[in-house]
Amino acid sequence: MKQVTMVTGNIGKWQVASEIFKKYNVELLHEKMDTFEIQSHEVEEVSKYSALYAAEKLGRPVIKSDVGYFIEALNGFPGPFLRYINDYLTSEEILKLMEDKENRTILLKECLTFATPNGECIQFVSIEKASISKISMGSGTTFDRIVIFDGYDKPKSMNSEEDNIKHFEKQLDIYDKMAKYLESRE
């Protein structure tokens, strides 16, 4: 069985991804480590840099996921700077920015990157459409409290963990694509 290390602090995401990878005869190891996030408006560039950094530091192939949230009415803000916004702004402050906006569409973009210590890199990207609620609900990150997945009527933070995992699994075609790629790799 082939092995690759997923660099993430999100153990739930790793568990779901690990099950997907098993179907393709790829064992997904887990490593939690801080990686540098370059300042770029492109999720793909941020993910590539972080994955290459982790692969070189660990001395083995890795996969790394990076996410950006692009609010259409705010010209794509916060984009790939989600991590920082979650640290500096509250849900209520984001909703204040949205106060007079009719378009509440937000695009959730995930880039899954495979990198090796010698600089090989391949990426798969998914984009999911969601919306911003009118009020903040529940607990969790700034965006967990205001992002409503398509097909749901309340923010992510108000869904059960099981519902969020099921939703995540449905959105993971990039994980299947990555696992297929790794399975076929020499």
Side-chain angles (χ1 to χ4, degrees):
M1 182 178 275
K2 295 179 181 181
Q3 291 183 332
V4 67
T5 300
M6 183 174 191
V7 176
T8 183
N10 185 333
I11 198 73
K13 184 177 255 190
W14 170 78
Q15 289 171 331
V16 171
S18 183
E19 290 302 312
I20 292 168
F21 277 60
K22 280 181 193 173
K23 296 187 293 189
Y24 298 95
N25 212 22
V26 177
E27 181 181 7
L28 194 59
L29 306 174
H30 177 252
E31 183 78 37
K32 181 179 178 180
M33 68 180 285
D34 288 327
T35 58
F36 293 111
E37 287 193 15
I38 61 169
Q39 299 304 302
S40 171
H41 291 282
E42 301 299 324
V43 174
E44 295 89 343
E45 288 180 25
V46 174
S47 186
K48 180 179 181 178
Y49 186 88
S50 295
L52 288 168
Y53 171 85
E56 184 179 325
K57 186 125 173 125
L58 295 172
R60 61 184 184 261
V62 303
I63 63 169
K64 175 90 174 65
S65 168
D66 282 279
V67 177
Y69 282 14
F70 300 83
I71 302 172
E72 288 183 356
L74 299 179
N75 298 315
F77 174 82
F81 306 109
L82 181 65
R83 176 174 160 196
Y84 302 108
I85 297 306
N86 277 327
D87 288 341
Y88 293 107
L89 295 178
T90 66
S91 302
E92 291 77 13
E93 290 167 325
I94 297 293
L95 291 175
K96 186 78 171 155
L97 293 172
M98 295 292 295
E99 206 166 66
D100 298 324
K101 310 292 186 198
E102 289 195 29
N103 179 359
R104 303 195 74 81
T105 302
I106 181 170
L107 300 177
L108 315 177
K109 186 175 186 180
E110 180 174 3
C111 181
L112 186 62
T113 303
F114 168 77
T116 64
N118 67 0
E120 180 186 349
C121 190
I122 186 162
Q123 297 181 304
F124 295 96
V125 177
S126 73
I127 298 176
E128 174 186 358
K129 193 175 182 181
S131 63
I132 301 290
S133 66
K134 298 257 185 196
I135 61 170
S136 176
M137 301 171 79
S139 60
T141 69
T142 296
F143 281 92
D144 285 351
R145 300 174 65 201
I146 60 174
V147 169
I148 303 172
F149 298 135
D150 267 4
Y152 290 79
D153 60 359
K154 56 190 174 207
K156 177 183 175 190
S157 65
M158 298 301 290
N159 300 333
S160 69
E161 186 174 340
E162 183 180 307
D163 281 345
N164 284 328
I165 288 172
K166 284 179 186 176
H167 175 81
F168 179 62
E169 288 171 339
K170 283 193 278 184
Q171 299 301 318
L172 291 184
D173 64 322
I174 61 173
Y175 286 79
D176 279 297
K177 289 175 182 175
M178 181 65 77
K180 284 179 192 175
Y181 167 78
L182 293 173
E183 180 185 47
S184 68
R185 196 171 170 269
E186 289 300 318

